[in-house]
Amino acid sequence: QVRLVESGGGLVQPGGSLTVSCRARGFTLEYYAIGWFRQAPGKEREAISCVSTNDGSVYYGDSVKGRFTMFRHHANNTVTLQMNSLNAEDTGVYYCATPYDHDCSGERGDYRYWGQGTQVTVFT
């Protein structure tokens, strides 16, 4: 079946770095747009990045631009999100999701498949 599985979350100090991963099961991720979302307690789910398949361009939300970087790893059917200069506002559950289509979308409802999420906690 089609699945997305996140991993790599954990505890990190302010200013530190962490990389989370998303592995696709049941389909080849290389041919689909894939994005990252996060949700902090009491806040709505936020789109933070997405990579398309047409030209490989990557979108980053303003809150993470310059600090987070997405990479595709075709051989492992995986995408990673490298997170640097983390702060308390980055705490939340991180999800990967795909619209199961060619292009990224800014609409959460367009993302057809979602992972279960992985917790990232920035602590002091």
Side-chain angles (χ1 to χ4, degrees), residues 54-72:
N54 54 357
D55 60 358
S57 61
V58 183
Y59 156 86
Y60 296 101
D62 289 340
S63 63
V64 305
K65 195 173 299 181
R67 299 188 297 121
F68 291 12
T69 308
M70 285 188 68
F71 299 95
R72 285 190 186 267

Side-chain angles (χ1 to χ4, degrees), residues 17-60:
S17 298
L18 195 67
T19 298
V20 291
S21 298
C22 173
R23 174 164 288 182
R25 308 290 190 186
F27 71 103
T28 301
L29 189 54
E30 178 182 3
Y31 304 125
Y32 299 92
I34 184 72
W36 284 96
F37 295 75
R38 69 184 180 188
Q39 189 163 23
K43 299 179 68 176
E44 70 178 58
R45 195 164 296 184
E46 175 190 13
I48 57 175
S49 68
C50 187
V51 58
S52 64
T53 59
N54 54 357
D55 60 358
S57 61
V58 183
Y59 156 86
Y60 296 101

Side-chain angles (χ1 to χ4, degrees), residues 92-113:
V93 179
Y94 283 68
Y95 302 87
C96 61
T98 179
Y100 208 58
D101 207 344
H102 180 68
D103 293 316
C104 294
S105 173
E107 299 293 332
R108 182 185 183 277
D110 289 337
Y111 287 80
R112 185 172 180 179
Y113 298 106

